[in-house]
Amino acid sequence: MILANITTPLLGLVDTAVMGHMDSSAQLAGASIGALILTQIYWVCGFIRMSATGMSAQARGEGDLTVMARSFYQTAVIAITIGLLIWLTQQAILQAGLWLAAPAADVAVYSREYFNIRVWGAPAALLNLALIGWLVGQQKTTSVLLVQIVGNLLNAGLDILLVWWWDWGVSGVALASVVAEYTMMIMAMLIALKHIQWQPPALEWFNKTARKFLMKLNGDMLLRNLALQACLAFLTIQGARYGQTATAVNAILMQFFVLIALGLDGIAYAVEATVGEAAGARSSKGVMRQTQRGLLWSGLFAVGYAVIFWFFGPQIIRLLTDIESLQQAAYAYLGMMTVLPLVAHWCFLYDGVFVGLTQAKAMRDTMIISALLVYFPVWYVTQSEGNPALWWALLAFLLARGVTLGAVFYWRRDKLIVST
């Protein structure tokens, strides 16, 4: 899963490099805005992957092939439905995104060109979330890695063919992504169907009781994601108000967060699968054992990141920018970046535990509490410090999420496991 995670930012680098060599910077800016509109929606819809992993892992723990098939079809239908809704409302989404971004006229032209093609991949992109999540729950992570590698290599190859050879410009970049998304969808679908021995769906899997459960689970996950996105968006928007330097520094610092997520998310995904399997088997001891094992590995990775950032933080910053003023401004945050993985790994890990238990309500409540009672109050109290206040607030927010999730898990673990 760590290797699969690494392929995603590499894909972004290829897209950026290809667009960065076009004739006009407006093409790069326009495509970036068009991509951002969709990727933000896809990110919020990440609840589909979470619920798919939890349901799939518990079905694996039960050891019933029919239950596995049911979890597969239920999450796939939700994903396809949302993907089609995005496609049907594409123009409203595009107009809202352009209104918020307020790009220049020439940039807006390229944003529309990119978006109007890329949005055709929305059903595949959403279904991929469900399929990848389901395969992770079945612990078929090698298959996930294969799908990601093939999709990303295809996307990169088509970028070069369509843009550099055939000169299709922004349309070529968008089309490459759409083809890659549907290719990944087909691959993942075939792997999943083979795993459930090609069982067809049953109508009772979508009765009123099933729909109520799915709506509750995914609704709670959605609210959790929206609360998290509100905090991250506030950091970006408020940072921009502090000026160009602060905005650029925050973009550099977010790369430290991305580096952390590559490793800690990989461990969290593994915990989702193993904890969910133990919960499906109704093994309280198994859930505790997998949680403790995950904490060990997560803690080791956190310490490793902290050591790397402490000793090599300046070199990482110099790799990200050669502008001396930005380097000097970013150096002041290296202490926070060193502490960041030590504070963050708890919430990453416990997110994985609660996804495996399909306890979305606890995830929703602790996220909202951490945002409203910690993140924004800490920023408000320390805002006189300027941009650093945003990062102090983020550290406090991540710590609060880990503490609250951990407290709920250890105080209510028996009830949580029984109710899965």
Side-chain angles (χ1 to χ4, degrees):
M1 284 312 307
I2 293 172
L3 291 174
N5 285 346
I6 291 172
T7 65
T8 300
L10 289 178
L11 173 62
L13 286 174
V14 173
D15 282 349
T16 301
V18 169
M19 290 186 292
H21 286 82
M22 291 180 182
D23 296 333
S24 168
S25 61
Q27 292 176 295
L28 173 58
S32 298
I33 291 173
L36 180 64
I37 294 171
L38 282 172
T39 53
Q40 286 298 303
I41 294 174
Y42 295 164
W43 190 91
V44 171
C45 291
F47 66 86
I48 295 173
R49 187 209 63 78
M50 294 178 177
S51 60
T53 300
M55 293 168 59
S56 172
Q58 289 183 22
R60 175 185 168 90
E62 291 186 38
D64 187 329
L65 195 64
T66 300
V67 178
M68 295 180 196
R70 182 183 65 194
S71 67
F72 165 75
Y73 285 113
Q74 286 177 335
T75 54
V77 167
I78 291 172
I80 292 173
T81 301
I82 296 176
L84 289 174
L85 284 174
I86 293 172
W87 180 79
L88 289 170
T89 59
Q90 57 181 274
Q91 289 307 310
I93 293 172
L94 174 60
Q95 294 306 317
L98 292 177
W99 178 78
L100 289 171
D106 56 342
V107 174
V109 170
Y110 291 115
S111 295
R112 290 190 178 90
E113 180 182 345
Y114 180 93
F115 181 93
N116 287 334
I117 295 175
R118 179 74 188 274
V119 74
W120 283 84
L126 271 292
L127 185 53
N128 280 332
L129 288 176
L131 292 170
I132 295 300
W134 190 87
L135 290 172
V136 170
Q138 295 296 310
Q139 301 184 23
K140 297 185 72 65
T141 49
T142 302
S143 298
V144 172
L145 175 60
L146 175 64
V147 169
Q148 297 275 41
I149 289 175
V150 170
N152 291 335
L153 286 177
L154 177 62
N155 188 93
L158 288 174
D159 274 344
I160 295 170
L161 175 66
L162 298 176
V163 178
W164 285 353
W165 285 17
W166 293 356
D167 197 26
W168 284 16
V170 169
S171 296
V173 176
L175 181 59
S177 296
V178 172
V179 172
E181 285 166 342
Y182 277 99
T183 301
M184 292 169 66
M185 180 197 75
I186 293 170
M187 288 181 63
M189 181 74 76
L190 291 174
I191 294 169
L193 287 172
K194 182 179 178 182
H195 188 69
I196 62 173
Q197 300 179 10
W198 303 90
Q199 284 198 45
L203 191 61
E204 61 265 22
W205 294 349
F206 302 95
N207 60 26
K208 183 177 180 181
T209 301
R211 292 197 304 271
K212 183 178 180 181
F213 167 76
L214 293 170
M215 289 292 292
K216 182 70 170 62
L217 175 62
N218 287 281
D220 287 341
M221 291 282 193
L222 172 60
L223 292 174
R224 176 256 183 207
N225 283 3
L226 289 173
L228 175 57
Q229 184 65 14
C231 294
L232 296 178
F234 181 82
L235 187 150
T236 301
I237 295 169
Q238 187 63 31
R241 293 175 179 172
Y242 291 130
Q244 181 175 332
T245 299
T247 304
V249 166
N250 287 347
I252 292 170
L253 298 179
M254 284 305 295
Q255 299 311 305
F256 283 82
F257 194 82
V258 169
L259 287 172
I260 292 170
L262 291 176
L264 298 185
D265 263 343
I267 296 171
Y269 289 166
V271 170
E272 291 173 9
T274 55
V275 166
E277 182 181 17
R282 295 297 186 268
S283 172
S284 181
K285 290 183 179 179
V287 169
M288 290 299 299
R289 183 169 60 252
Q290 297 300 340
T291 300
Q292 291 165 358
R293 181 180 296 176
L295 280 172
L296 172 63
W297 280 101
S298 181
L300 289 174
F301 266 72
V303 171
Y305 276 121
V307 170
I308 291 171
F309 292 167
W310 177 260
F311 287 103
F312 301 104
Q315 289 90 328
I316 295 173
I317 290 173
R318 287 195 290 271
L319 284 173
L320 293 171
T321 180
D322 56 4
I323 301 173
E324 187 174 351
S325 60
L326 287 182
Q327 291 175 352
Q328 294 299 321
Y331 290 158
Y333 294 83
L334 282 177
M336 288 192 222
M337 295 303 101
T338 301
V339 174
L340 182 61
L342 301 174
V343 169
H345 86 94
W346 301 94
C347 63
F348 276 87
L349 189 282
Y350 281 115
D351 267 346
V353 172
F354 277 83
V355 167
L357 296 173
T358 59
Q359 293 294 331
K361 182 177 182 295
M363 296 176 68
R364 178 200 68 190
D365 293 345
T366 54
M367 180 69 77
I368 293 174
I369 289 170
S370 298
L372 296 181
L373 301 184
V374 178
Y375 179 84
F376 289 107
V378 169
W379 169 79
Y380 183 80
V381 171
T382 62
Q383 63 179 305
S384 60
E385 296 184 22
N387 194 63
L390 293 169
W391 290 93
W392 286 119
L394 181 64
L395 287 173
F397 170 69
L398 295 171
L399 179 61
R401 285 182 55 211
V403 170
T404 52
L405 282 170
V408 172
F409 176 73
Y410 283 100
W411 287 343
R412 299 184 55 208
R413 58 183 179 274
D414 292 333
K415 293 182 179 179
L416 291 174
I417 295 168
V418 169
S419 63
T420 54

